Each structure stands twice: as C-alpha cells, then as structure tokens.
Amino acid sequence: MYQRSDAAQNDVDLTACDREPIHIVGSVQPHGFLLALDLPVLRIVQASANAPAAAQVGATLSSAFPELDAIVRHYLDGHRQQDGATYLRTVTLGSGSTRQAYEVAAHRVDDLVVLELEETADSSGDAGLDALTPRLRAFVERLHAARSVEDLCQLLAQDIRHVTGFDRALVYRFDRDWHGTVLAEDSNGVLPSYLDLRFPASDIPAQARELYRRNRLRIIPDANYVPVPVRPTTTPEGEPLDLSQSVLRSVSPVHVEYMRNMGTMASMSVSILVDGALWGLVSCHNRDPKRVPLQARNACDVLTQIFALQLSAKVRGEQAEQRLALGAVQVRLLGYMAEEESFVDGLLNHPDDVLALVNASGAAVVTADRCRLLGSTPPEGEVRALYDWLSARGDADDVFVTDALAEGFPQAAAVADRASGVLAISVSKKYASYVLWFRPEVVRTVKWGGNPVKAARPDPGGGPDRLHPRKSFETWKETVKGRSLPWSVPEVEAAKDLRASVLGIVLRRAEELAAMSEELQRSNKELEAFSYSVSHDLRAPFRHIVGYSNLLKTREAPNLSEKGRHYVETIIEAALSAGTLVDNLLTFSQMGRHALNKVSGDLNALVEEVRRKVERDVTPDRTVRWEVGPLGRVHADPVMLRLVIENLLSNAVKYSRDRPEAVIEIGRLPPQDGEAVFFVRDNGVGFDMAYVGKLFGVFQRLHRVEEFEGTGIGLANVRRIVERHGGRTWAEGDLGKGATFYFTLPIREEAR
C-alpha cells in the first residue's frame, strides 16, 4: 500500500498511484537500447541515450544498422496487430572488442516501429528454445493430471522458477476488489514465503493492471538501475512515446522502492489472462540482481498461456457439472410452476428445490402485498425493507447479486447471520415482484502481507505529496465478517433462467387471457349490436301499444266494463314500463359505441344542475336535505358524467323515500394513487354487503320491484361510464341504515 511521507496526514490520497502515467515514463532500463523508427523509410526519430553512436536521429536504419534492416522489414511484411512485443532474432553488432549480442524485439506504436535490443551473452538464437522444449512438453503432460486449480498453480510456479532460476516464484490471483492472494509458491528458501498471503489492490494500481493485461511480460534485472532517457522526449507528432508494449520500459520509482522494501533486487512478472481478462500474475523475485534472457522469458509466457488455457478448461468443466446439477432442479421447478394456477404456488410448495437451485439457505417471494418466506431468512420486516430498497434502486438490474449485502444496504448488518449474501431476480418491474435467496455470513481469517491500513510514515526529506510504498511485509491477520460464500456463475445463471421461465409462464398465461379477452370483446360487440338493434326496434311497438291503449281507454270508455278498463290500464302501465326498460337498455348498449369527449369542468356546477332536475320529481310531502361538499374540477365527458350523477342521485332519492327526512351527501375524499375519489351517501334502506357483488350488474336488483321501481340498469351504466374514463366503482351499505356509492376519476393537473 502506498503512503504519504507526512505522518500527520490522515487523508492519504492512494489514488495518486492510479493516476501516474507509467506508460509514458520517457526512459528505459540500461540493459539494452531502444530505437523508434518512422514508416515506411525506417528513419530513426527517437533513441535511448545509451544507443550506439550510429543511432543518430534522422539516420535510416539501413545506414546505421544494416544488419537490422532486413529483419525489421520482414517483421513488417508479416506483422499483425497484437499486444506485446514480438521477438525477432538474436544479432551481434559491432566488431572486435565492441561486439555485443542482442535479442531483438519489435512492436508498433501508431505510425512508428519501436525496436528494442536487449544485451545477451547467447548469440546462438534458437539454442535456448530448443533446450526448453522438453520442459514445455513435460509441463503440458503434468497439467492434464492436475486435479485442482491450486495444483495447476503449483505446477506453473515450479516450472517458471526452473526456467528462470529466480529465488522465488509466486502465482497470484486477483479477487473482485483486485486484492491479490498467493495460491502457489516455489522457492529455494533464500526469500521468505508469501504462500496464502493477501496483498491489497493498491500494491498494483489500476493503470499498472491494464499494462499487465496488454503486455504480458515485464522484467527488472536490477532494482538499483539508473533510468536511461529517450531522446528527443517526444515523437514527430509532439507526443511522449507510448512504452506500454516495451520490454525495456523503465518502471515507476515507487515500484523499485517497493522491491527494495521486499528485499528483492530483481523481479519478473508474467500476466495470466483468462478469456482476455487479467486473472492473476506469475511474480518472480531474486535477492540479488539477475538477468533472464528474452528466450527464457518467452518460454515462461508460453507456459503461462498453456496454463491459462488449462485453467479455463478446468473452470469451465466444473461450471458445466454444476450447470447440469442445477439444470435438473430447474426442470423440476418449471414443471411445478406450470402445473399451478400461479407460479408462486409452484415455488412455495417445493421449498427444497427452490433453495437447491442456487445452493441457498433461505428464500423469499415478495410482492407489494405479500411476503412469503422459505428456509432460514431474516424476519419479514427486514425482508420487506430489502424489497423496498431493491424496488427503489434507479439502476436496478433484472438480477441483483452480492456476497456482502451490508456494504450497499447497511441495515442488513443486523441480519448478517442469515443474509450476508443475496441473489435476487425481478419477475415484474411494473408490480415490483422479487424472488430472493439468502446466504449466511461466513467469518474467516485473512492473512495480509503487511497491514493494509497502516498509517503513513514520516519522511523528513520528502515533499508533502511524495508517495512511498509500505515497508512492512510481515503477516498481518484480519477477521473478515459480513460476507457469505460467493455466488458462482452457474448459480447466477440458474436464477436468470428461472426468471426467464417465470416470465415465459406469465406471458403464456397473459396470451391465454388475451385470447379469452379478445373473444369476450367480440362477443360483447355482438351483444351490444344485438341489444341496440332489439331495443331500437322495440321502441316503436311499445309506443304503439301505449298510444292505441289510450285511444281505446278514452274513445271506447262508455262501452268498456270496469274490468275492461282495468285491463287497458294494466296494458298501458306494462307497456310504459317495458318502454322505459328498452330506453335504458338502448342507453346501456350505446355506452361502448360513443367516443369520449373529455373536457375539464366544475363538478359542483354539474351536480347542482342534476340535483335541481331530480328534486322536481320529489313529491311535496317529502323532506330531502342535500349536503354537497367541494368537489373541485374533473376531466371527463360531461354528457356521460351527467348520467353517472343522475343515476346515483335518483337512486339516493328513491331508496330513502320512507325516511322522515332523507339526507343525501355528495363529497370528495383525499386522492388515492393519482385518482380523485367521489361518493354519494344516503340514509335509505341500504343493502346487505353479502350481495354487494351484484349491485353493478345488468338487471341486478336487491329489492323487489313492488317496493322500488326501476329496471336494474342504472348502476351498470354508472360502472361502465366510470371504467371507460379509467376509474373504479364500489359501494358500501348497511341494511336499514343507508348506502354509500363511490367512484373515481384519474387526476389531471389542470383538474386538481
């Protein structure tokens, strides 16, 4: 971990290391020299200060180093874009006592070729690789026999140390937070063991990890080296030379100080990439300065790539086995859900399989109105709080995964023993429904290579912003709490597949309902057309019956007996009643045929107009007290809304006529879920709530026609009109004590 030199400074800015531009340091290590050549003439545009005298800026490669010209052009002819430098061959430059063998590597940077020549004692070129081939073959054979990831790592550490001759070779794996853990080690005992130790993410800053991903090999033969500058300092385009792919690139002063604090004077690292991502490192150290030829380093790179392939295959194989096991559980759950009317019942009736699907100890199925728990879970209140938190997350995904819930949801610390780990799937965003799985806390002790939170040390000679690496690498133990076992990739995929299955079942049911709804709509339209036609065609005959009966009653009165007149009056009364029923039926059938013409208006004015009309039909011997509260403005079709008010007020007057004083109240309640709520209340005969479901049906009556006249269509009209406006209707009653009818209308800003 990097620390400020000022011991009194508490807010150490460890992110400064993440911002250090280590890829454009402008210098190289002194065990070789660098040339930057432009294309296509291969003119030298930059060179390290230790390059031979012939490496003059402006000279062509063919004139300065004719031995290299053909090699580089051959490289360019077959070059394909890739990360890392390409080894070309070993050449000898100079003559007599100045002859020196160099291993030549090249890479491209934009329109430049960067040529690096690293000093070596071996000028044979291929001898090193030939000597290493049997080792590579044996390594591959032993990899196939390895049973675990740790065994694979140990084989790699042993072979890398054998090839390089370093005092110690470590295989180091990154976790999700970029802390590193040493999984395997091979050592000759000269340096202390770091096996099983953990190192904080700040030891390898973010931009260093990116360089490790792009350039798999790095070596520092001597931690006390003096950097050699590259001149001029910028390319012809005026930019610092990008040395990301360089094999000679100088490293940060912080890093070499870190090496010296570890007691190592030479180091080498090889990146382990699995599926293109940085999985870990092979990190080699030596107590004394040490050079490793490029050929040997390339062999280590090959070893590491073979290891990565085998590692990936082993991990994939283990995951495939787990997927098969979880897949069998998923198939059973899918069958259970398909058999039930609701998928929730399919889960709740088979709790063991629900938990086994992701290897959880507890689970919950939570919706806005219900919370059902399975296995070992937090109390319902805590689960409901977690549900609210998940529902409120603006960036919530369909699947939420964590093995440290309290880090994002602090109140979960109180239930860490049952819910440190959570895997959640959203099965409906519209209605915020979740299936949640829980894992308990697993307390464990982690051994760090030094205190990861050690305070800054004083540095009297340094500036206030001078960063230094930590000095202590002694084992420091930490007890980790609040974390569960991590969820594996197959377990998360199993949860995602369950979500897809649930959505498939819900979609299938929705399609079935949609088909039924479509059929019902078609039938309703046919019935509407039929009722409209019948009611329209019956109006004239009933009028004729009434008309001719009245003629018979008046013109033939002298010839009619008392019984005859009674028959005629009964015909007239029945025909009038039937005509009224036909008129109401015609109105009801027209409700779905007319388009709504919504406008904003004052509901109090409309109620007052309807009240006056209804009051005209009240007999003089009755007393009706009207109580009308402030109703505000509404956005509705005024013609249809008038029918709603007229039906409700007429019913209130009709069913309270046996009261000495009828009290009819019209009011507005506080808004609910974006709806304005209105009511009409009377103190009339009321009704039994056991029959409330019949109230708004067509031709449904709760009182005998001999007691209260009517056709039983009025409230059906009320419900249909309100629902067409997007509202709801319901009623409450008490037999002999009155009734209250409610309806809602959606609120618009201008109608508030």
Side-chain angles (χ1 to χ4, degrees):
M1 181 178 291
Y2 301 122
Q3 305 163 342
R4 287 194 189 277
S5 58
D6 183 0
Q9 184 74 23
N10 292 323
D11 55 341
V12 180
D13 184 12
L14 299 178
T15 62
C17 287
D18 289 333
R19 299 191 297 269
E20 186 179 4
I22 58 177
H23 63 298
I24 52 172
V25 290
S27 62
V28 297
Q29 298 179 61
H31 59 280
F33 68 91
L34 176 146
L35 303 174
L37 313 170
D38 67 359
L39 293 172
V41 297
L42 299 183
R43 181 181 294 105
I44 299 173
V45 295
Q46 286 180 291
S48 59
N50 63 342
Q56 297 296 316
V57 173
T60 61
L61 185 64
S62 59
S63 62
F65 302 101
E67 306 93 331
L68 299 176
D69 188 73
I71 297 172
V72 175
R73 292 191 182 278
H74 180 73
Y75 158 75
L76 291 173
D77 289 341
H79 173 72
R80 60 182 180 83
Q81 192 64 36
Q82 63 181 31
D83 286 337
T86 301
Y87 168 74
L88 304 185
R89 59 168 297 176
T90 301
V91 300
T92 300
L93 302 180
S95 60
S97 61
T98 62
R99 287 174 61 82
Q100 174 64 53
Y102 294 94
E103 292 176 315
V104 184
H107 67 276
R108 292 282 299 271
V109 177
D110 299 327
D111 294 329
L112 301 177
V113 179
V114 177
L115 205 60
E116 296 178 272
L117 291 89
E118 186 177 340
E119 297 174 0
T120 181
D122 179 18
S123 60
S124 59
D126 297 329
L129 185 57
D130 289 341
L132 292 170
T133 300
R135 187 81 190 182
L136 293 173
R137 186 178 296 112
F139 175 72
V140 172
E141 292 174 356
R142 286 183 294 149
L143 279 181
H144 287 299
R147 295 184 177 181
S148 66
V149 172
E150 288 73 16
D151 290 343
L152 289 172
C153 293
Q154 188 61 41
L155 288 173
L156 182 63
Q158 291 171 357
D159 277 62
I160 293 289
R161 198 179 79 80
H162 181 274
V163 171
T164 61
F166 274 100
D167 290 332
R168 181 179 62 201
L170 310 172
V171 177
Y172 181 97
R173 179 178 64 186
F174 294 112
D175 66 13
R176 66 167 194 174
D177 299 318
W178 295 107
H179 302 314
T181 302
V182 179
L183 299 184
E185 176 183 83
D186 191 65
S187 173
N188 59 11
V190 172
L191 295 173
S193 174
Y194 284 172
L195 185 62
D196 289 334
L197 291 189
R198 192 183 230 201
F199 293 86
S202 54
D203 277 11
I204 304 179
Q207 89 282 28
R209 294 193 297 268
E210 175 59 19
L211 280 184
Y212 278 127
R213 189 190 65 80
R214 297 181 57 198
N215 190 355
R216 295 189 300 269
L217 275 168
R218 185 187 67 178
I219 188 167
I220 304 172
D222 188 349
N224 287 327
Y225 78 90
V226 177
V228 178
V230 176
R231 295 180 179 151
T233 57
T234 60
T235 66
E237 285 73 28
E239 299 291 334
L241 181 62
D242 186 345
L243 297 176
S244 298
Q245 312 295 329
S246 170
V247 296
L248 294 172
R249 175 177 58 84
S250 188
V251 297
S252 165
V254 177
H255 184 76
V256 292
E257 186 177 349
Y258 182 92
M259 287 177 58
R260 291 193 289 267
N261 291 348
M262 288 180 68
T264 61
M265 294 305 295
S267 73
M268 185 188 85
S269 62
V270 188
S271 304
I272 302 172
L273 302 180
V274 176
D275 297 329
L278 185 62
W279 181 90
L281 297 173
V282 181
S283 187
C284 304
H285 307 104
N286 214 67
R287 184 179 62 183
D288 302 315
K290 182 178 180 59
R291 292 272 295 277
V292 178
L294 181 59
Q295 289 277 4
R297 303 201 308 267
N298 286 339
C300 292
D301 186 27
V302 173
L303 285 172
T304 304
Q305 290 188 61
I306 295 172
F307 162 83
L309 290 173
Q310 188 66 16
L311 173 66
S312 178
K314 184 169 286 293
V315 171
R316 289 176 187 272
E318 292 173 352
Q319 291 181 348
E321 291 181 3
Q322 190 179 22
R323 285 189 181 95
L324 285 174
L326 299 181
V329 178
Q330 183 183 347
V331 168
R332 291 199 299 270
L333 282 176
L334 182 58
Y336 299 148
M337 292 188 296
E339 291 172 356
E340 301 289 348
E341 187 68 26
S342 168
F343 78 89
V344 174
D345 294 331
L347 298 177
L348 297 178
N349 294 336
H350 301 89
D352 291 343
D353 280 333
V354 173
L355 300 182
L357 181 68
V358 295
N359 296 310
S361 58
V365 181
V366 193
T367 60
D369 56 348
R370 296 195 67 183
C371 177
R372 285 153 288 193
L373 307 178
L374 306 172
S376 176
T377 69
E380 182 174 338
E382 297 293 335
V383 174
R384 178 64 66 180
L386 174 60
Y387 163 83
D388 293 338
W389 179 71
L390 288 172
S391 302
R393 292 173 70 234
D395 59 342
D397 297 323
D398 295 333
V399 178
F400 172 80
V401 186
T402 181
D403 58 7
L405 178 61
E407 290 183 2
F409 185 54
Q411 74 183 73
V415 291
D417 60 329
R418 281 164 287 177
S420 285
V422 169
L423 173 54
I425 58 172
S426 167
V427 293
S428 173
K429 286 187 178 294
K430 183 176 181 181
Y431 300 106
S433 302
Y434 286 89
V435 179
L436 307 158
W437 288 274
F438 303 101
R439 278 184 180 170
E441 171 186 56
V442 176
V443 180
R444 53 202 171 100
T445 299
V446 175
K447 295 186 296 182
W448 293 87
N451 188 341
V453 292
K454 186 177 179 181
R457 59 184 174 85
D459 181 9
D465 293 321
R466 176 74 167 94
L467 290 176
H468 292 274
R470 56 195 171 88
K471 282 189 172 182
S472 173
F473 291 87
E474 295 179 359
T475 301
W476 188 87
K477 294 184 178 180
E478 176 192 20
T479 300
V480 178
K481 296 182 178 181
R483 284 185 179 270
S484 71
L485 293 176
W487 306 92
S488 69
V489 172
E491 288 164 349
V492 175
E493 289 176 349
K496 291 181 178 179
D497 290 343
L498 179 69
R499 178 180 184 274
S501 299
V502 169
L503 294 179
I505 291 172
V506 172
L507 179 60
R508 190 191 70 197
R509 297 270 166 81
E511 289 175 345
E512 293 173 353
L513 290 174
M516 293 175 60
S517 175
E518 185 177 346
E519 180 63 22
L520 285 173
Q521 288 179 3
R522 185 186 63 80
S523 299
N524 283 339
K525 287 182 179 179
E526 291 177 354
L527 287 172
E528 285 179 4
F530 174 75
S531 62
Y532 178 82
S533 175
V534 170
S535 57
H536 182 272
D537 293 345
L538 285 176
R539 295 175 78 187
F542 282 123
R543 287 173 181 163
H544 291 161
I545 292 172
V546 172
Y548 284 112
S549 296
N550 278 321
L551 286 175
L552 183 63
K553 178 182 176 181
T554 55
R555 293 185 180 182
E556 301 296 329
N559 301 323
L560 290 176
S561 65
E562 186 68 25
K563 184 176 291 187
R565 283 195 296 273
H566 174 69
Y567 290 157
V568 171
E569 288 174 353
T570 301
I571 292 172
I572 294 172
E573 183 178 340
L576 286 173
S577 178
T580 302
L581 177 61
V582 166
D583 288 341
N584 288 342
L585 183 61
L586 182 62
T587 301
F588 181 78
S589 66
Q590 289 175 328
M591 291 296 172
R593 303 167 69 91
H594 293 169
L596 294 179
N597 181 27
K598 294 183 181 180
V599 296
S600 180
D602 183 356
L603 187 56
N604 276 97
L606 180 60
V607 167
E608 179 60 23
E609 183 180 333
V610 173
R611 187 191 67 80
R612 290 176 181 173
K613 176 184 176 184
V614 171
E615 201 169 34
R616 287 198 293 267
D617 296 329
V618 176
T619 58
D621 59 328
R622 290 191 59 193
T623 302
V624 178
R625 175 157 56 91
W626 299 89
E627 297 180 356
V628 182
L631 304 176
R633 300 183 67 80
V634 294
H635 187 74
D637 184 313
V639 175
M640 289 196 173
L641 188 58
R642 178 191 297 274
L643 288 175
V644 170
I645 303 300
E646 189 171 331
N647 274 294
L648 293 177
L649 297 190
S650 296
N651 280 352
V653 169
K654 177 169 62 176
Y655 290 105
S656 61
R657 66 188 177 196
D658 61 345
R659 297 292 186 261
E661 181 184 45
V663 179
I664 301 173
E665 181 184 1
I666 305 102
R668 177 171 180 167
L669 299 177
Q672 299 177 7
D673 299 326
E675 294 180 317
V677 183
F678 304 96
F679 67 89
V680 175
R681 180 178 294 123
D682 65 69
N683 63 339
V685 296
F687 60 87
D688 189 337
M689 285 294 289
Y691 304 103
V692 69
K694 299 175 60 177
L695 270 180
F696 293 94
V698 181
F699 304 130
Q700 297 295 323
R701 298 176 53 86
L702 301 187
H703 303 278
R704 293 184 303 162
V705 69
E706 292 84 356
E707 296 178 310
F708 297 99
E709 70 283 357
T711 60
I713 296 179
L715 289 179
N717 277 335
V718 168
R719 169 160 287 180
R720 197 166 198 191
I721 293 171
V722 170
E723 287 181 348
R724 286 200 65 193
H725 280 77
R728 299 173 293 124
T729 57
W730 70 96
E732 296 173 356
D734 193 354
L735 199 59
K737 296 182 179 180
T740 305
F741 290 83
Y742 299 90
F743 70 93
T744 69
L745 294 172
I747 296 177
R748 284 188 23 149
E749 289 299 324
E750 67 270 20
R752 288 183 187 273

